[in-house]
Amino acid sequence: MIENVTLAVVGVGNNTSALIQGVNLHRRTGTLVGVRHPEVDGLGVGDIDIVAAFALSDGKVGRDLHEAIFVPPNNFGPLEAELPPAGVTVRRGLVGAEGIDEVAAALDGVEVVLYSAPSGRPGTALAYAEAALRAGAAFINTTADPVARDAQLLGRFEAAGLPLIGDDLASQFGSSVVHRALLRLLDERGLTLISSYQVNLGGTEDFRNLVENPSTKKQSKLNALGSDRVQMAPLGYLPHLGSQKVAHINIEAQGWGETSVNLDVHLKVHDPSGAAGVNIDLVRLAASAKRAGRGGYPPEVASLLKSPPGTAV
Amino acid sequence: MIENVTLAVVGVGNNTSALIQGVNLHRRTGTLVGVRHPEVDGLGVGDIDIVAAFALSDGKVGRDLHEAIFVPPNNFGPLEAELPPAGVTVRRGLVGAEGIDEVAAALDGVEVVLYSAPSGRPGTALAYAEAALRAGAAFINTTADPVARDAQLLGRFEAAGLPLIGDDLASQFGSSVVHRALLRLLDERGLTLISSYQVNLGGTEDFRNLVENPSTKKQSKLNALGSDRVQMAPLGYLPHLGSQKVAHINIEAQGWGETSVNLDVHLKVHDPSGAAGVNIDLVRLAASAKRAGRGGYPPEVASLLKSPPGTAV
Amino acid sequence: MIENVTLAVVGVGNNTSALIQGVNLHRRTGTLVGVRHPEVDGLGVGDIDIVAAFALSDGKVGRDLHEAIFVPPNNFGPLEAELPPAGVTVRRGLVGAEGIDEVAAALDGVEVVLYSAPSGRPGTALAYAEAALRAGAAFINTTADPVARDAQLLGRFEAAGLPLIGDDLASQFGSSVVHRALLRLLDERGLTLISSYQVNLGGTEDFRNLVENPSTKKQSKLNALGSDRVQMAPLGYLPHLGSQKVAHINIEAQGWGETSVNLDVHLKVHDPSGAAGVNIDLVRLAASAKRAGRGGYPPEVASLLKSPPGTAV
Amino acid sequence: MIENVTLAVVGVGNNTSALIQGVNLHRRTGTLVGVRHPEVDGLGVGDIDIVAAFALSDGKVGRDLHEAIFVPPNNFGPLEAELPPAGVTVRRGLVGAEGIDEVAAALDGVEVVLYSAPSGRPGTALAYAEAALRAGAAFINTTADPVARDAQLLGRFEAAGLPLIGDDLASQFGSSVVHRALLRLLDERGLTLISSYQVNLGGTEDFRNLVENPSTKKQSKLNALGSDRVQMAPLGYLPHLGSQKVAHINIEAQGWGETSVNLDVHLKVHDPSGAAGVNIDLVRLAASAKRAGRGGYPPEVASLLKSPPGTAV
């Protein structure tokens, strides 16, 4: 029988919470609702064991992981009435590059490191990647900070036979995915794009972070959409939305005979679910690639990322 | 140099009007806005000559084609201030199977017959197909009536080396195309569809016909969407919309952790443009297949039709 | 202390179910969420006792009222985990005018009759009104069938000192209410209405009835909107919506300088709640008017009805 | 016969452009489309003569007013093919408090000063008000800067028998007006508001100014909506929208039985038209009040302003 993936998570925010809660829901009920791949190279949704977790906030550090995921500002779920203790205590994480060796030591026996902290701290992201490399673990960067786009670092992972996956998670079903699909459809059908915009509103702490550090993320979004006729409205942090994210997408185009085509989309999703639904695949893909000795960037993850190696930083 | 396609049109409604007006706009200005394929096997958008036209209404029969396309209830355009006479007089068309030979005679020298009459007259559609077959012309059925889905008839076209294309035009960019793309995206991303509906409102005569004969069309729509969780609301004929068509599409789904995903789309298009933008390709594909001696159903048209051969009647 | 209203309900569909469930929720929790008038002339939300109920379906007749409200096709709620027995057994109701005296006898001691059966059976509606008159009870017609618009009948209620309220309930917050408010706002602000439409989709049995008998209702809707530039799309019965009703409202107008103004509204409500939230007021207003000896149509109910006395039948 | 109003405009942006173009369209065609009051105390839409104009940009100062209104970044219209010269040359305006006397001198013979510069320069707004006071003219402040809310200044206008109107124009039909009407409707119908948000996107220079100086405006918006459950998303400046403004309004509420009510509105207007459609009334009301010797704040303008005297600054 295949062995469970040993996973370390960096960041104990909503996305990590959704991953953990969803895995537990699956283990208890067998649900495959919203699951993209019931199996990835033989690994099921429940075949993941979190063995280490890192966070920065005093409210989370030192706590059992299954308690820490409900500490505010986290506001996802709960999906179920009860969650038994994880048996994993949240450790204090890195700020910048100091302490890499200690983290590397803590990663002993870990196959995959899922870096799921807020975007906007590129130095810290690179430090964790370095720790993973030293510990012999695959690394997944779900933030918009450039890690997999760092060609030199990617080369070192490749040489070490360790997968390096990133950057910037494309939500399982978020505004970028829908917007891109519609723009592609427009193009396939031969319509001419006149203008387009996207408005994103959210109520999570991750979202508040993006509002305050919009630049990296915005470029990553535009990388994903790939047209200079698309405009991004400023992100709106509306606390009452909780873990829900709301997007308004508009597309103005012209069809045959230069007649107008208008398309307006109103999308409501739970952002942490959208992240976890992709992370569950990335973790298994990373483990599988590592076990097969395939280092570097595994091309099969391309559709799950907004800014893969080679795109603009 | 490649020769222009000689085309006969059956039905002088909005869709034929949009085809004619768009071709003329292109010829005058060179515009390629909303054009899917500037060239199809060497045939440009302007390389089509309409040499015969059939209609039933007294207001259109006997008139120059470029006048007839503006006779009510037609309400598309005008796209341009002026349109010179076509030099083609609209002939009285078939009702049912009588008069096939006369039509076949009138189709002498015609390469492609574009059947663009209202849906809901299957006998008449088959009669025109028969006439095309006798005259040695390719036949395109843009209505929801089963013609290309008639296996026996398809065999005869194939044997004669004549293309037979149908059934039921998928608009260049209409509610079916968008709805299908979004359902496919949902599926690709691993979401679980809970329910979905589609509301279509329009103001053209074609639309009024569909409202009064909804059954064939509705099945064809559902063929295109391919899920039993999708419901079609009754079509709404709202005259003030003119040639505009409005659709409201709703999708309710669940993602990771069984959280809700809601997607609402509001789409506004000009229906006759959506038809003409596809017909301009079908006509050129039919001509090209015919010139190459390829009879029967050309598989390259699949994405342009809602009910190709093999789908439910 | 003020005495509770004694109420008989005709029709044990979703609207009656919502009224009963909402009253019980209020009694248990004290909630005033969604309540327009905590008190009407001293009568609170909980001060209503249902003492008789009439229905036609075999599944409901003979059952305790609190069981009958959950019998399919009813599909509203349940709002709470448990509902104790009502102690009222559902009686077999009228079909047409036969049996009025028996019903009148069963209404002995009843202050208010709430007629909440499906629209489209005007004879039956009038028969119940007649029974109420004979029994000395106020009568409320929530259907689109003309009862309060019957001038002769209204005169008889007036003469008897009994309130007669109708016709056609304006939902507490439905598409008509919102549409009318927006058209009025447009007018107040000096904009010029160009066109407008309304699409209504629902999944209740009442809705299915309306789809099959649209004429009365549609006229009543247009009475409520009062403009010939407004078009109603056909009602769409989409079972998966359950007790939810969805409306799409579009308004196209022009402002200063003849520039365009577009307004699109997407409204989702629970139809039975919208009815019950008004019925709770109508019942108390009817009881209060009756207790004060005020017969006929009480003008204070005007904003709660779509087709009050004097409007088109 | 009544005499035309003599008007000075401060700010030659889109709003002034729309006022001028609309008045000229009315004079030429007689159109009353989008006009709230064909007459105000005998003054028609065309009974306004602009006799002075002030601006700051080099591209506008020194030019004929009818040319200046089309100088970028202005992007409203043109509504008509041609506009004859105004015969009024745009003067260089104030920056802060210096030069008040010169402006006062230039206002000789002017009845009404319409202050229509960008929001966010309170000192300049007050300086123009001072100049109007010295010149004996009524003053209208359409910006969010506090002028009419300055109690001391209001007292001086009152004492001088001069109307002072402000602050912050409520567009004839913009997101605030629609949002407020819907929240009021909700309340009237007895629903309980849970949450609400408003997103505003625009493409004018005025809009760009608001994006860069959001604070004053946002408070003024919230004054207008009057609920702490309403959240404003950051304004989005999307140049491609031109003079169009797009708003997305969401309202989440609960009705009877605590069931959910969702309302989403998508509104598209031309912002300068919305301003001009109100300014045409304010100017005539100001002139009429002045002619009647009524100084201070005329209460009949209340519905046209977001932050009248007495509301928060």
Side-chain angles (χ1 to χ4, degrees), chain C residues 87-127:
Chain C
V88 173
T89 301
V90 177
R91 292 161 189 263
R92 184 163 300 279
L94 296 175
V95 179
E98 230 166 284
I100 293 181
D101 282 333
E102 288 84 342
V103 169
L107 294 178
D108 186 44
V110 163
E111 288 181 283
V112 180
V113 175
L114 176 65
Y115 182 74
S116 193
S119 290
R121 305 171 190 163
T124 303
L126 289 168

Side-chain angles (χ1 to χ4, degrees), chain A residues 195-197 199 201 229 231-241 246 248 250 252 262 264 266 268, chain D residues 195-197 199 201 229 231-241 246 248 250 252 262 264 266 268:
Chain A
S195 69
S196 187
Y197 69 78
V199 178
L201 309 171
R229 299 210 166 180
Q231 298 185 321
M232 309 294 298
L235 300 169
Y237 171 60
L238 305 183
H240 80 255
L241 291 176
V246 176
H248 295 280
N250 167 262
E252 305 286 329
N262 319 97
D264 281 285
H266 187 191
K268 289 190 273 187
Chain D
S195 69
S196 187
Y197 70 76
V199 178
L201 310 170
R229 299 209 166 180
Q231 297 186 320
M232 308 295 299
L235 299 169
Y237 171 61
L238 305 183
H240 79 255
L241 291 177
V246 176
H248 295 281
N250 168 262
E252 304 286 329
N262 319 97
D264 281 286
H266 187 190
K268 289 190 271 185

Side-chain angles (χ1 to χ4, degrees), chain B residues 132-181:
Chain B
L133 190 57
R134 292 189 198 170
F139 189 79
I140 301 166
N141 172 36
T142 68
T143 74
D145 298 322
V147 175
R149 280 172 293 173
D150 181 325
Q152 201 253 338
L153 184 68
L154 183 60
R156 292 170 61 211
F157 268 83
E158 203 161 353
L162 294 173
L164 175 58
I165 294 176
D167 298 331
D168 204 10
L169 194 81
S171 180
Q172 191 180 5
F173 200 81
S175 51
S176 294
V177 166
V178 172
H179 203 165
R180 186 166 45 179

Side-chain angles (χ1 to χ4, degrees), chain C residues 16-255:
Chain C
T16 295
S17 175
L19 181 66
I20 290 171
Q21 292 187 58
V23 166
N24 278 276
L25 182 68
H26 167 82
R27 283 182 178 164
R28 195 174 62 73
T29 69
T31 181
L32 287 171
V33 163
V35 169
R36 196 172 179 180
H37 298 113
E39 289 211 354
V40 172
D41 296 333
L43 290 163
V45 169
D47 300 340
I48 290 176
D49 294 329
I50 300 186
V51 296
F54 300 86
L56 284 179
S57 92
D58 290 340
K60 290 172 183 167
V61 174
R63 268 205 151 146
D64 183 87
L65 180 57
H66 284 188
E67 279 173 50
I69 58 176
F70 295 109
V71 171
N74 284 16
N75 58 1
F76 178 79
L79 296 181
E80 300 186 273
E82 236 176 298
L83 204 60
V88 173
T89 301
V90 177
R91 292 161 189 263
R92 184 163 300 279
L94 296 175
V95 179
E98 230 166 284
I100 293 181
D101 282 333
E102 288 84 342
V103 169
L107 294 178
D108 186 44
V110 163
E111 288 181 283
V112 180
V113 175
L114 176 65
Y115 182 74
S116 193
S119 290
R121 305 171 190 163
T124 303
L126 289 168
Y128 275 107
E130 188 66 37
L133 188 59
R134 291 188 198 170
F139 190 80
I140 301 166
N141 172 37
T142 68
T143 74
D145 299 321
V147 175
R149 280 172 293 173
D150 181 324
Q152 202 253 336
L153 184 67
L154 183 59
R156 291 172 60 213
F157 268 84
E158 204 162 351
L162 294 172
L164 175 58
I165 293 176
D167 298 332
D168 206 10
L169 195 81
S171 180
Q172 191 180 6
F173 200 80
S175 51
S176 295
V177 166
V178 172
H179 203 164
R180 185 167 43 179
L182 290 171
L183 291 176
R184 194 177 296 159
L185 182 66
L186 214 74
D187 189 54
E188 273 171 31
R189 306 296 293 189
L191 269 66
T192 301
L193 179 64
I194 301 302
S195 69
S196 186
Y197 69 77
Q198 193 186 113
V199 178
N200 287 281
L201 309 170
T204 64
E205 186 65 7
D206 284 6
F207 210 85
R208 201 176 63 75
N209 264 292
L210 289 179
V211 170
E212 289 167 10
N213 306 288
S215 54
T216 326
K217 184 71 181 181
K218 201 167 169 180
Q219 182 56 54
S220 196
K221 274 254 183 197
L222 292 173
N223 284 351
L225 293 171
S227 165
D228 59 352
R229 299 211 166 178
V230 179
Q231 298 187 320
M232 308 295 297
L235 299 169
Y237 171 61
L238 304 183
H240 79 256
L241 291 177
S243 72
Q244 201 174 53
K245 188 167 141 188
V246 176
H248 296 280
I249 298 170
N250 168 261
I251 296 174
E252 304 286 331
Q254 286 186 340

